[in-house]
């Protein structure tokens, strides 16, 4: 299955499933190439190359991915969506933030961040409960 930018009527989780399936298979380049296809991120070749490199280094440091979980989803207005996931690496999970913008009836990936900021996830969850 190849990841694609979610279209009208399609859930962004389809793109996440395909992305993490490729990451799990060790296909970092293919995962990113499919995810950013048809997005403004694809034009930022150096940024995409950096993401691929940092992701491969993270997998080398934290172990292979066996799956992922969506831990937060935040919608701003009707056109912006941030989905936060954790990858289930063998040694330590990573936090992934995918930012989508709905334009002309289609969700488009506009930014992606990955880090090991797990402490922040707990702090955000605590603030949300208040």
């Amino acid at each position: 299955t190849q990841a694609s930018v979610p279209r009208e009527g399609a859930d962004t989780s389809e793109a996440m499933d395909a992305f993490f399936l490729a990451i799990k298979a060790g296909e970092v380049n293919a995962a990113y190439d499919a995810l950013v296809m048809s997005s403004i991120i694809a034009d930022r070749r150096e940024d995409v190359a950096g993401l691929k490199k940092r992701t491969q280094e993270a997998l080398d440091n934290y172990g292979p991915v066996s799956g992922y979980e969506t831990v937060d989803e935040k919608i701003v207005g009707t056109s912006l969506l941030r989905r936060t996931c954790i990858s289930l690496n063998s040694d330590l999970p990573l936090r992934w933030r995918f930012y989508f913008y709905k334009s002309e009836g289609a969700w488009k990936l506009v930014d992606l961040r990955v880090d090991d900021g797990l402490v922040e996830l707990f702090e955000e969850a605590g603030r949300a409960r208040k």
Side-chain angles (χ1 to χ4, degrees):
T1 306
Q2 191 174 20
S4 62
V5 177
R7 299 286 172 217
E8 180 71 12
D11 188 349
T12 56
S13 63
E14 293 174 14
M16 303 297 89
D17 288 346
F19 176 78
F20 282 110
L21 191 62
I23 294 289
K24 180 179 176 180
E27 299 172 3
V28 173
N29 289 335
Y32 277 103
D33 290 346
L35 185 69
V36 304
M37 184 177 28
S38 304
S39 76
I40 63 167
I41 297 173
D43 295 335
R44 299 187 226 147
R45 296 182 198 279
E46 288 181 16
D47 292 347
V48 175
L51 275 171
K52 290 176 180 179
K53 183 175 185 264
R54 286 191 303 279
T55 298
Q56 189 59 58
E57 289 170 354
L59 295 176
D60 293 343
N61 290 328
Y62 300 123
V65 172
S66 63
Y68 82 100
E69 296 175 6
T70 298
V71 296
D72 186 47
E73 191 170 276
K74 182 163 181 71
I75 297 173
V76 177
T78 59
S79 301
L80 292 173
L81 167 68
R82 180 185 75 195
R83 178 168 285 162
T84 303
C85 302
I86 57 168
S87 58
L88 306 175
N89 300 57
S90 60
D91 297 327
L92 183 75
L94 293 170
R95 175 176 67 168
W96 301 76
R97 289 213 160 140
F98 300 87
Y99 296 84
F100 293 94
Y101 171 57
K102 192 170 190 177
S103 171
E104 300 175 355
W107 287 106
K108 299 176 182 178
L109 184 71
V110 294
D111 199 4
L112 167 61
R113 314 242 168 140
V114 60
D115 59 42
D116 59 1
L118 303 178
V119 172
E120 290 86 349
L121 284 174
F122 288 96
E123 292 170 353
E124 290 169 6
R127 282 194 300 268
R129 277 191 234 116
K130 290 182 180 178

